[in-house]
Amino acid sequence: MREETGRPMSKLATRLRRAVAPVAGIAASALLALGPSTSTAHHAFGAEFDPNRPLILRGPVTKIEWVNPHAWIHLEVTNNDGGKESWMVEGGTPNTLLRRGLTRHTLKIGTEIIVDGYQSKDRSNRANGRDITFTDGRKIFMGSSGTGAPKDGRDPTAR
Amino acid sequence: MKCIKTSVTLLLSAGAMCALWAQAAEFPRTADGKPDFSGFYDIATITPLQRPEFLGDRKFISAEEAEEARSRVAARKSEGDKTSDPERDAPPDGGDGSPGAAGNVGGYNSFWIDNGDDTNQVNGEFRTSIIVEPANGRRPKFTKATQAKRTKRRSNYRKNSGTAWWLERDEAGPYDNPEQRPLAERCLLGFGSTSGPPMLPVLYNNVKQIVQTPKHVMILNEMVHDARVIRMDDKHLPDTIRSYMGDSIGHWEGDTLVVDTSNFNDRPGLSGASSSLHVVERFQAATDGTLLYSFTVNDDTIWEGAWSGEYSWPKTDSVVFEYACHEGNYALGNIMRGARILEQDVLTGKGGDE
């Protein structure tokens, strides 16, 4: 799926996802359930990926790099001309999944997946794996808490 | 009557002795008679470092409220497991509005995240913050000089627009040199003061390993495999020798391990702190079999007063996994190359499309 720009197809959406702000009167348990205030991340996704280059990728998994600080899942995408392109998408630390008994072999090579995210600013075939699912929409791994929004208070470009 | 009182006192004393015995059973003694804290701990918790302001001085919540918080966390995780639309399109052009380090591009699925399920429990209390002093559970105010610096720094913050906005200014850009980038991004130190001191819970990689000998105590942090080596009964290094995690020396006060750390360089792991940072940590067996970790932070160039915190470190059957951060750190290269390309767009007037 490609546009004339050579990028995988993007579509303007009108709905913006908004952060849920705490409001006065909310239960103590609700505020605590927001998680540690020290939530940060290895790096700012805002520094690496381009908000003007949204994309959706579909294709079979070709390789899994089960590495720190972030795992990378490779897939082969077929463009409108029938050509094949290799893409790689960034996930989180594999240690979290290892601790749940999930390894790089849990996701088999050749499995068809769908990834939505944004292309990296260096315009190589790399993107963040904003949402990685099987072709029926199920998450490729379970035990999640929504699309991640890690915060890194140290990076001025992330504000 | 006196007899009854004595019996009650004896019973309570016996109870206390049993509790102490149970503690000792959780932590065997070393050959030199100290509690042996060697082992693995998972310090993830939903208790935040700073207490939500509306709770004021309320240090803990009830067991029912803690259960409710647990349920809310579990519900949020279940929400994230829901099936997505297989026919979905690409996310919005111009960004999805996501905050923080998700930087307007949405981060990644949070099945990668492992930041705890429960409120931290200390002495039977479900704590509302790790900070316990000041009494409002929040760090003291920044000094005036620090406030001014932070205000200036904030004026340089920008939402991720996918443009080289920094070229509009006369100052250095945030991507001019890899050494300007955050320590975590460079795989030099885990983020969020995970390695400390003080050591704090973060988004994932929260497992610690303690190895204890009479002369040294080593604490291995999973993230970025930072190892703290604490010399027992020694003096601090000369003032000119400084590092990210500082110089740590330890001693025993009864069954409490006390660790004193100074000699930080100008970028300690603790956000906002300076080379004047001084941290004292205490490790002791708690009555519930966990390790009670407490600390006091003092950096009078940054905060108007000292602040202290405490939280339990439960033992875990898990281990510290290998990290090897540099080998897989494609992000730093992507970030630096991306910045050069965005700058070229501005300089050549291309505006971003090939």
Side-chain angles (χ1 to χ4, degrees):
Chain A
M1 298 179 68
R2 297 178 66 84
E3 299 180 307
E4 295 75 11
T5 60
R7 282 188 274 151
M9 181 175 284
S10 65
K11 185 176 181 180
L12 181 65
T14 53
R15 186 171 61 85
L16 287 182
R17 291 171 186 228
R18 296 185 191 284
V20 179
V23 293
I26 197 165
S29 59
L31 272 188
L32 288 179
L34 290 174
S37 58
T38 50
S39 289
T40 52
H42 163 255
H43 68 78
F45 277 76
E48 186 175 3
F49 299 104
D50 191 338
N52 305 314
R53 292 171 179 270
L55 44 82
I56 186 142
L57 304 168
R58 291 183 167 86
V61 172
T62 56
K63 181 181 174 183
I64 296 168
E65 293 188 78
W66 208 239
V67 295
N68 277 303
H70 291 257
W72 288 84
I73 296 170
H74 297 237
L75 71 162
E76 186 178 70
V77 177
T78 304
N79 62 33
N80 278 351
D81 304 326
K84 306 285 188 188
E85 291 181 1
S86 293
W87 281 78
M88 52 193 282
V89 297
E90 185 169 14
T93 172
N95 294 14
T96 294
L97 298 179
L98 278 173
R99 207 153 264 131
R100 296 183 197 139
L102 303 168
T103 73
R104 68 191 178 95
H105 303 296
T106 305
L107 181 61
K108 305 289 183 197
I109 301 297
T111 305
E112 295 276 341
I113 60 171
I114 307 171
V115 181
D116 68 64
Y118 291 86
Q119 189 176 12
S120 87
K121 286 176 178 173
D122 74 349
R123 293 170 200 167
S124 61
N125 285 3
R126 298 176 182 188
N128 64 320
R130 184 174 174 276
D131 191 13
I132 309 177
T133 69
F134 296 115
T135 52
D136 62 2
R138 282 178 302 124
K139 300 287 187 283
I140 58 163
F141 301 112
M142 299 294 273
S144 62
S145 53
T147 301
K151 298 172 185 173
D152 186 335
R154 293 192 150 209
D155 188 348
T157 60
R159 300 298 176 95
Chain B
M1 189 67 189
K2 190 176 178 183
C3 178
I4 293 173
K5 269 187 181 174
T6 307
S7 301
V8 169
T9 307
L10 280 172
L11 273 174
L12 287 174
S13 301
M17 289 298 289
C18 285
L20 283 172
W21 187 85
Q23 275 174 254
E26 293 289 342
F27 293 98
R29 299 268 165 185
T30 57
D32 57 350
K34 305 300 181 192
D36 188 356
F37 297 139
S38 297
F40 294 92
Y41 301 88
D42 187 343
I43 69 166
T45 174
I46 63 172
T47 294
L49 174 64
Q50 298 201 84
R51 188 176 306 150
E53 281 182 80
F54 88 103
L55 287 173
D57 288 353
R58 194 177 165 199
K59 194 175 177 184
F60 53 91
I61 55 176
S62 67
E64 292 73 25
E65 287 172 309
E67 184 53 39
E68 195 182 329
R70 179 186 172 78
S71 298
R72 285 175 190 268
V73 168
R76 196 179 62 204
K77 290 183 176 179
S78 297
E79 186 70 21
D81 282 343
K82 279 187 179 170
T83 298
S84 300
D85 179 3
E87 302 303 323
R88 65 190 184 276
D89 283 315
D93 199 2
D96 66 0
S98 54
N104 201 20
V105 293
Y108 46 68
N109 286 112
S110 54
F111 47 69
W112 304 102
I113 291 170
D114 188 12
N115 59 348
D117 303 308
D118 292 302
T119 306
N120 197 261
Q121 210 176 344
V122 177
N123 296 330
E125 297 173 352
F126 295 94
R127 293 292 178 86
T128 54
S129 60
I130 290 174
I131 294 178
V132 291
E133 186 61 45
N136 66 357
R138 301 184 68 79
R139 284 176 301 218
K141 284 183 180 172
F142 289 116
T143 61
K144 283 184 179 170
T146 300
Q147 277 179 24
K149 278 184 196 167
R150 291 175 69 88
T151 302
K152 183 174 187 307
R153 210 180 306 150
R154 265 202 300 276
S155 71
N156 291 330
Y157 290 160
R158 295 284 192 286
K159 179 182 172 186
N160 175 23
S161 60
T163 61
W165 53 266
W166 54 91
L167 294 182
E168 298 165 6
R169 314 171 314 158
D170 291 331
E171 300 168 44
Y175 306 98
D176 289 355
N177 184 320
E179 293 190 359
Q180 295 169 291
R181 302 305 301 157
L183 299 177
E185 196 170 292
R186 297 161 62 197
C187 290
L188 292 179
L189 209 61
F191 60 77
S193 201
T194 182
S195 53
M199 293 177 283
L200 301 175
V202 288
L203 201 62
Y204 39 61
N205 303 135
N206 281 303
V207 176
K208 312 284 181 198
Q209 182 183 13
I210 296 179
V211 176
Q212 187 177 320
T213 74
K215 292 185 176 176
H216 295 88
V217 175
M218 189 283 299
I219 306 176
L220 179 62
N221 295 278
E222 180 163 289
M223 188 146 49
V224 194
H225 53 74
D226 295 317
R228 295 183 61 196
V229 179
I230 299 153
R231 302 186 311 283
M232 297 301 295
D233 303 313
D234 200 357
K235 292 178 181 173
H236 275 302
L237 296 171
D239 190 55
T240 49
I241 301 177
R242 291 174 171 273
S243 59
Y244 294 118
M245 291 190 289
D247 178 55
S248 294
I249 54 175
H251 68 275
W252 289 94
E253 291 179 5
D255 283 347
T256 300
L257 170 65
V258 181
V259 179
D260 183 293
T261 306
S262 61
N263 295 42
F264 290 92
N265 66 16
D266 59 0
R267 296 182 79 173
L270 180 63
S271 180
S274 75
S275 57
S276 303
L277 178 64
H278 177 223
V279 182
V280 177
E281 299 159 285
R282 291 174 181 271
F283 300 78
Q284 54 194 310
T287 50
D288 60 359
T290 63
L291 181 63
L292 177 60
Y293 174 72
S294 53
F295 59 87
T296 296
V297 169
N298 205 329
D299 187 341
D300 58 11
T301 66
I302 303 296
W303 291 285
E304 285 186 346
W307 49 281
S308 301
E310 64 181 16
Y311 66 113
S312 295
W313 288 18
K315 288 182 177 177
T316 178
D317 292 332
S318 189
V319 295
V320 170
F321 290 122
E322 184 235 29
Y323 211 78
C325 187
H326 288 290
E327 285 87 332
N329 191 13
Y330 302 144
L332 184 58
N334 294 347
I335 289 167
M336 300 306 286
R337 278 191 304 275
R340 302 291 81 78
I341 286 173
L342 297 187
E343 286 168 350
Q344 280 302 307
D345 286 346
V346 172
L347 296 172
T348 59
K350 280 187 180 173
D353 274 324
E354 300 96 324

